[in-house]
Amino acid sequence: MQLEPIGPNIWVTNGTEIKFMGLLLGTRSTIVRLNDGGMWMHSPVSYNSDLAAEIEGLGPIRFLVAPNVYHHFFLKEWQDHYPDAELIGPRDLPAKRPDLIFSALFDDRRCDPWSSEIDRVVFEGSRAFDEHVFFHRASRTAILTDLIVNVRLEKQTTVGRLIAHIEGVAYPNGRTPLLYRLGMQDRAAGAKAVAAILEWGATQAVISHGEWFREHATQELRKRFAWLPL
């Protein structure tokens, strides 16, 4: 089994590790079964047939979701296997990945066909990128991508451990990477997004890289976003 159930109709799965800015990062996807039986995949990890079969055993793959312009590495292989699935992502990603076929972008009116079950807030204000953050109401799960990184140091190189400490992303105190924080041009916009995220009252929060927050999520998110006063 590659899917870990974490609540009603929601699972996580861990994918291959990637190297980024001197760090070895695990990857993670969150999968939701919508009320109509369709499967919603947030930031798909690398494709493998066993994982695909597990997901299909729960329901047809309906949506592939790219939450920011960096989480696109594995989209093509999933789209090749599931051409009928709707790919939805941020407005700047099609220019970066012209090989992908998007059904809608997050600027479009059609971009949240799951809005009766999953909420979305866009974290704006940084030169780095915008990130779309989601909340699965039934399980009270917040779903983040790169806004918080919380990596264990055991597998990191000496340089990687140093970078993790400098960036502020070392477990158990990982938070928003330093480069992202330094890139904030509009702190008010970021603070507004964080306030909306905290209002969800999430009990757990999944992140893509590192240890995620299985309990007390709202308190953990408030602490890790403390660099951005509300």
Side-chain angles (χ1 to χ4, degrees):
M1 295 287 291
Q2 297 184 47
L3 293 177
E4 176 191 354
I6 63 170
N9 289 320
I10 185 168
W11 298 259
V12 294
T13 186
N14 296 324
T16 55
E17 295 178 326
I18 60 173
K19 291 183 178 179
F20 184 76
M21 290 182 57
L23 291 169
L24 185 64
L25 299 176
T27 56
R28 179 175 295 116
S29 179
T30 305
I31 297 99
V32 171
R33 181 167 53 201
L34 301 172
N35 288 339
D36 65 3
M39 305 302 290
W40 180 95
M41 289 191 68
H42 173 272
S43 186
V45 296
S46 56
Y47 175 88
N48 71 74
S49 58
D50 290 339
L51 174 60
E54 274 193 60
I55 297 172
E56 282 194 273
L58 298 168
I61 297 175
R62 182 79 51 76
F63 297 108
L64 304 173
V65 178
N68 62 42
V69 294
Y70 285 97
H71 275 240
H72 58 82
F73 297 139
F74 308 117
L75 290 172
K76 185 66 166 62
E77 50 200 74
W78 284 94
Q79 187 166 69
D80 285 346
H81 284 88
Y82 298 97
D84 293 332
E86 295 186 41
L87 172 57
I88 301 179
R91 61 179 175 269
D92 295 329
L93 190 51
K96 191 173 185 178
R97 290 296 304 270
D99 56 321
L100 297 173
I101 301 171
F102 288 84
S103 301
L105 301 176
F106 283 127
D107 286 346
D108 297 347
R109 290 180 300 172
R110 301 170 297 146
C111 70
D112 286 280
W114 51 74
S115 61
S116 64
E117 303 172 61
I118 300 173
D119 294 326
R120 176 172 63 92
V121 164
V122 55
F123 186 100
E124 302 173 289
S126 176
R127 289 191 296 268
F129 56 87
D130 294 343
E131 179 167 305
H132 297 267
V133 182
F134 301 88
F135 179 64
H136 180 236
R137 293 189 210 127
S139 64
R140 297 185 66 190
T141 304
I143 305 167
L144 297 85
T145 311
D146 296 326
L147 281 179
I148 295 175
V149 177
N150 191 34
V151 296
R152 290 185 176 272
L153 300 182
E154 290 88 342
K155 291 186 177 182
Q156 304 298 328
T157 64
T158 300
V159 172
R161 289 193 290 272
L162 176 61
I163 292 171
H165 284 297
I166 292 172
E167 286 290 315
V169 299
Y171 174 84
N173 299 310
R175 55 177 177 160
T176 309
L178 176 63
L179 284 179
Y180 196 98
R181 286 180 271 137
L182 292 177
M184 289 298 293
Q185 295 175 301
D186 187 346
R187 294 174 68 86
K192 181 179 178 181
V194 170
I197 291 168
L198 295 177
E199 283 180 6
W200 286 334
T203 57
Q204 56 184 3
V206 180
I207 60 176
S208 291
H209 308 299
E211 298 297 323
W212 58 281
F213 310 110
R214 295 175 179 266
E215 56 184 4
H216 311 303
T218 297
Q219 297 93 311
E220 292 288 356
L221 294 176
R222 187 183 303 276
K223 178 173 68 176
R224 291 157 204 277
F225 281 121
W227 62 272
L228 191 62
L230 302 180

